Amino acid sequence: MSNILAIAQKELRSYFASPIAYIVIGFFALMYGYFYAVMLQYFVRASMQMNQMGMQGPQSMNVNEQMVRPLLQNVTVLLLFVLPAISMRTYSEEKRSGTAELLLTSPLTDLQIIMGKYIGALTLYATMLAVTLIHIAVLFIYGNPEWKPLATAYLGLLLLGGAFLSVGLFISTLTTNQIVAYIVTFSTFLMLWIISWIGTFSSGILTDVTAYLSVIEHFDDFSKGIIDTTHVIYYLSLITFGLFLTAKSVDTERWRG
C-alpha cells in the first residue's frame, strides 16, 4: 500500500509542477461558478414570481430539485472536457520522456503502478469537486437545501468521474502524444455519453442495452438523491474494466521492453 501511495503522491506533484492542475481546476471552478450564478438567478426569480402569485407550501420551489440538480447535470458536461486533460498525461508523458522504462523495471508490480496513478488522478478530480463545496455552503447559509440528496449527487459525480478516469488511463497507455490521448479519450467519453441516443431510434432490447451502457443515464438517479445498486455496480464495473485494460496494456509494454 505504501508503494501505491508513493506513486499517487508523485502523480499529484507532477500535476501541480506543471500548469495542468491549475488550468484544469481554474477552468472547472470558473465554469461551475458561471452555471451556479445562472441557476441561482433563475431560482430566485422563479421563487419571487411564485411568492407574488401566493403559491406557498408544497407548491413552493425546492432548491435541490429546481437548482442543484440542473446545476450538477451541467457539471457532468464539463467532465467530458476536463477529465481527459487529467488522464491524458498519466502514461503518455512517461513514455514520451523515457521514464516509463525506469518505472516498469523498478521493484513495483503493475497493479501498484496502475493504482497509484489512478488514485493520483482521482485525488485531483476530488479536489476539483471539493472546490465547488464553497458554492454549496452558501446555499446552506442563505437557504435550506437537503444535505442527503446533495451527498448522493456528489457520490454519483465521484463514481462517474472515476469511471471516466479509468478509461482515460487505459487510453493514455496507447500513445506517447498527450494531444492524441486527449482527443481519443474525449471521443470515447462522448460515445459513452450519447450511446443511448441510438436506442431512441429503435425499440426492445436495443433500447435497454444502449440505455444501460450510457454513463449519464446512470447518473440521473444520483442527481435525484437516489442510490440504486444497479448504478453503483455499473460504475464500479466500468472502473474495474478500465483498470483491467490498463493492466493488460502495461503488461504488453513491459514484454516489449
Side-chain angles (χ1 to χ4, degrees):
M1 190 64 185
S2 59
N3 290 334
I4 293 176
L5 293 179
I7 295 175
Q9 291 174 357
K10 172 183 173 295
E11 284 296 304
L12 278 176
R13 286 196 300 268
S14 66
Y15 280 123
F16 286 96
S18 66
I20 292 179
Y22 302 100
I23 292 174
V24 168
I25 294 176
F27 174 76
F28 184 79
L30 179 65
M31 295 306 299
Y32 183 95
Y34 171 77
F35 290 139
Y36 178 88
V38 170
M39 294 299 174
L40 181 60
Q41 184 181 28
Y42 162 77
F43 180 80
V44 171
R45 185 181 303 167
S47 297
M48 293 177 62
Q49 290 176 350
M50 293 187 71
N51 288 334
Q52 290 173 358
M53 296 170 60
M55 299 177 66
Q56 302 290 338
Q59 293 179 319
S60 61
M61 297 284 287
N62 183 289
V63 65
N64 288 87
E65 284 295 321
Q66 272 75 38
M67 179 185 168
V68 176
R69 187 184 173 198
L71 170 64
L72 296 184
Q73 287 177 334
N74 282 333
V75 169
T76 60
V77 178
L78 281 179
L79 300 185
L80 288 174
F81 299 91
V82 173
L83 292 185
I86 296 178
S87 64
M88 68 180 184
R89 67 174 305 282
T90 48
Y91 271 101
S92 60
E93 176 62 19
E94 298 269 13
K95 295 171 72 173
R96 187 197 65 80
S97 62
T99 57
E101 289 78 5
L102 295 176
L103 191 62
L104 292 176
T105 55
S106 64
L108 298 171
T109 65
D110 290 348
L111 180 62
Q112 290 174 333
I113 296 171
I114 293 166
M115 291 306 300
K117 286 182 171 292
Y118 178 72
I119 291 174
L122 190 62
T123 302
L124 179 59
Y125 172 57
T127 303
M128 287 167 43
L129 293 182
V131 171
T132 67
L133 296 180
I134 299 173
H135 303 81
I136 300 300
V138 174
L139 294 181
F140 281 95
I141 294 173
Y142 295 100
N144 189 30
E146 300 177 58
W147 71 268
K148 289 183 179 179
L150 266 172
T152 301
Y154 269 82
L155 173 62
L157 284 177
L158 190 62
L159 289 172
L160 173 62
F164 274 163
L165 287 174
S166 70
V167 175
L169 197 67
F170 163 64
I171 295 173
S172 181
T173 64
L174 304 178
T175 178
T176 59
N177 191 307
Q178 293 188 43
I179 303 301
V180 172
Y182 181 94
I183 294 173
V184 174
T185 303
F186 173 80
S187 301
T188 304
F189 288 177
L190 186 61
M191 182 188 69
L192 290 171
W193 182 286
I194 66 174
I195 192 171
S196 62
W197 296 3
I198 299 174
T200 60
F201 300 104
S202 60
S203 59
I205 190 172
L206 181 60
T207 301
D208 297 334
V209 170
T210 54
Y212 182 78
L213 292 177
S214 173
V215 291
I216 197 60
E217 292 289 334
H218 292 276
F219 177 74
D220 190 52
D221 277 346
F222 283 102
S223 67
K224 297 176 184 176
I226 301 171
I227 298 179
D228 190 324
T229 53
T230 301
H231 306 317
V232 175
I233 291 172
Y234 168 82
Y235 284 128
L236 293 180
S237 298
L238 187 55
I239 291 171
T240 303
F241 183 63
L243 295 178
F244 171 77
L245 291 178
T246 304
K248 289 298 182 182
S249 180
V250 172
D251 185 59
T252 302
E253 189 72 23
R254 185 187 291 274
W255 281 104
R256 285 178 180 174

